[in-house]
Amino acid sequence: MSSSEVRGPSDRKTATGAGSPGKRIPLAEPTIGGNAARYLAECLETNYVSSVGPFVERFEREFAAFVGTRHAVACASGTAALHLAFHTLDIGPGDEVLVPSLTFVASANPIRYLGGIPVLVDSEASTLDIDPGLVVDELDRRARLGRRQPAAIEVVHLVGQPATIGPILAAAERHGVPVVEDASEALGASWQDRDDGRQVGSAGRIGCFSFNGNKLITTGGGGMLVTDDAALAQRARHLSTQARLSGRAYDHDEVGYNYRLSNLAAALGVAQLEQLPDLLAGRRRVAAAYDAALARIAGILPARRPTGTDPSFWLYTAHLAADGAPRDRVLDVLGAAGIDARPIWTPLHRMTLYADAPRLGGDVAESIFRNAVSLPSSSSLTASDQERVIEALERALRTG
Ligand SMILES: *Cc1c(COP(=O)(O)O)cnc(C)c1O
């Protein structure tokens, strides 16, 4: 780690130093280095700290180039990007949107902001993501019955694993339903079997990303909306800046939001984007080491790697054998050893907030939820810290 790199808060909690047995191993901490300090200093020197400034446009341009879309709109958070996505698609009161039940609550909340109705769809076991069969059947069924189609389909690429999007895109096209990708957890993941390695976020009508502190790259807090559609991008940008019309007068033509990313945050984003290839390589190195170690341990299965996809492994997520040690006991043993591991998201249908939401499918999400454990996955995880995780895991499974 170079001297210019800023360590995460988890390092400050302990004074015992790197490599010592007492140091807490975080689930996912940022790796901030490269030109970050230089670009941030540039903002301060030039007084461009707010949402007007050269780094915002540069971040958008370079991000769009990486993901492979024509346009990118920098936002204050991933949640804001999703809100703008559904707003620009004119999701309104009573409109249904198909959403996987197994996801972070921020995938669904922006639909509710607009008065829409999330329809919670079960998962596909191999990807952990929305089950394409259920989506295709639902669209075809509605067409057959002459029922109104959902206003959108939201595909979430959980923990860095690209969803099986091909059949969903085909059915969506057939029935005229737009697809929004929530790629908040999957920057840098791609489909090897689509267009020579298409990046997640670039396959649907709109893609959304998050740069929250624990995501693969961070701007302290931020997000990005990407699309090939110039009109959608322009509307999203307009809405993100209070829908103010150009000209001297303060005139506005819509109820907009203050959702623009600051130049300070974008400066950090440009630097993080330069680091992205290294950060992805780090994630994949960590994943390969877990794959090899877990293959030798009874009672746990390595992260699933469906063919045709190149996951980013934002969180390396393993699966406990259904008849083995209970998940919470394993997490407790790891926690006591100073290791931050965690369960996957609680399915939305189990939450008080979404308990009454309409649902499609069975209990695959439930069984993933019961058995999945995300292990420390930072790109900066050292081999000796990873060894500690693996040893603790073996101990947890033996005593489980
Ligand atoms: C992190 C995350 C978000 C929200 O991103 P923020 O930048 O924290 O608002 C949305 N969806 C998923 C799946 C996420 O993991």
Side-chain angles (χ1 to χ4, degrees):
M1 201 178 275
S2 81
S3 58
S4 66
E5 281 176 350
V6 179
R7 308 298 304 274
S10 56
D11 296 286
R12 254 175 272 125
K13 270 185 250 156
T14 53
T16 43
S20 74
K23 182 177 150 277
R24 228 183 147 71
I25 303 177
L27 184 71
E29 67 176 347
T31 304
I32 298 169
N35 286 315
R38 194 158 72 82
Y39 294 162
L40 286 168
E42 239 179 81
C43 296
L44 302 180
E45 282 153 18
T46 57
N47 237 358
Y48 278 119
V49 294
S50 70
S51 57
V52 177
F55 280 113
V56 180
E57 273 172 43
R58 182 169 159 195
F59 188 33
E60 290 177 337
R61 202 169 54 242
E62 292 177 1
F63 194 89
F66 177 85
V67 172
T69 57
R70 289 211 187 90
H71 309 280
V73 180
C75 304
S77 69
T79 311
L82 286 164
H83 190 188
L84 291 175
F86 291 118
H87 190 135
T88 55
L89 292 173
D90 292 320
I91 305 297
D95 286 343
E96 291 179 311
V97 178
L98 303 190
V99 184
S101 186
L102 188 65
T103 185
F104 182 49
V105 72
S107 298
N109 284 347
I111 299 160
R112 282 275 185 95
Y113 297 168
L114 296 158
I117 301 167
V119 177
L120 310 182
V121 183
D122 200 19
S123 310
E124 177 187 46
S126 60
T127 56
L128 319 184
D129 297 324
I130 193 166
D131 183 333
L134 291 173
V135 173
V136 172
D137 286 353
E138 178 66 8
L139 266 53
D140 288 346
R141 188 180 69 86
R142 289 187 185 211
R144 235 178 11 251
L145 299 175
R147 279 190 51 197
R148 193 156 78 104
Q149 291 292 352
I153 301 162
E154 182 177 1
V155 173
V156 185
H157 309 294
L158 223 57
V159 298
Q161 171 58 52
T164 306
I165 206 167
I168 296 175
L169 291 173
E173 172 88 33
R174 206 158 59 236
H175 298 295
V177 181
V179 172
V180 173
E181 293 176 77
D182 179 353
S184 297
E185 302 183 1
L187 175 60
S190 61
W191 291 279
Q192 294 313 298
D193 55 1
R194 298 189 73 78
D195 316 315
D196 286 332
R198 178 174 284 281
Q199 291 284 319
V200 298
S202 70
R205 183 81 63 83
I206 298 178
C208 296
F209 293 86
S210 164
F211 313 124
N212 195 5
N214 64 355
K215 297 288 158 68
L216 185 58
I217 70 170
T218 186
T219 59
M224 193 73 83
L225 179 155
V226 300
T227 181
D228 281 333
D229 186 318
L232 284 182
Q234 198 193 348
R235 177 121 189 268
R237 188 171 285 118
H238 183 58
L239 284 165
S240 77
T241 50
Q242 308 279 25
R244 185 182 168 186
L245 297 170
S246 56
R248 185 176 297 142
Y250 284 91
D251 191 12
H252 305 255
D253 62 350
E254 277 194 84
V255 178
Y257 310 96
N258 181 7
Y259 274 174
R260 200 76 172 130
L261 192 70
S262 77
N263 198 53
L264 274 174
L268 190 49
V270 171
Q272 285 272 277
L273 205 51
E274 291 169 354
Q275 288 182 263
L276 180 55
D278 287 343
L279 299 181
L280 279 167
R283 278 320 205 261
R284 288 171 176 145
R285 173 181 48 75
V286 167
Y290 277 133
D291 278 353
L294 267 48
R296 299 189 310 264
I297 305 177
I300 191 163
L301 293 167
R304 292 167 191 167
R305 286 177 183 257
T307 50
T309 66
D310 194 7
S312 66
F313 296 105
W314 169 61
L315 291 184
Y316 184 91
T317 302
H319 302 268
L320 298 171
D323 56 355
R327 183 199 66 198
D328 288 345
R329 187 112 53 85
V330 172
L331 294 176
D332 287 346
V333 173
L334 292 174
I339 293 160
D340 286 338
R342 70 163 199 205
I344 207 159
W345 306 117
T346 298
L348 298 176
H349 68 261
R350 285 176 142 256
M351 293 180 185
T352 312
L353 177 61
Y354 288 109
D356 297 333
R359 287 176 65 187
L360 287 178
D363 53 11
V364 179
E366 290 270 346
S367 89
I368 295 169
F369 172 62
R370 263 197 313 278
N371 299 315
V373 280
S374 296
L375 300 173
S377 303
S378 304
S379 301
S380 59
L381 186 67
T382 62
S384 63
D385 279 355
Q386 191 168 11
E387 201 46 52
R388 253 183 69 198
V389 176
I390 293 160
E391 278 165 19
L393 197 55
E394 280 187 285
R395 195 150 28 83
L397 289 166
R398 259 202 316 273
T399 58

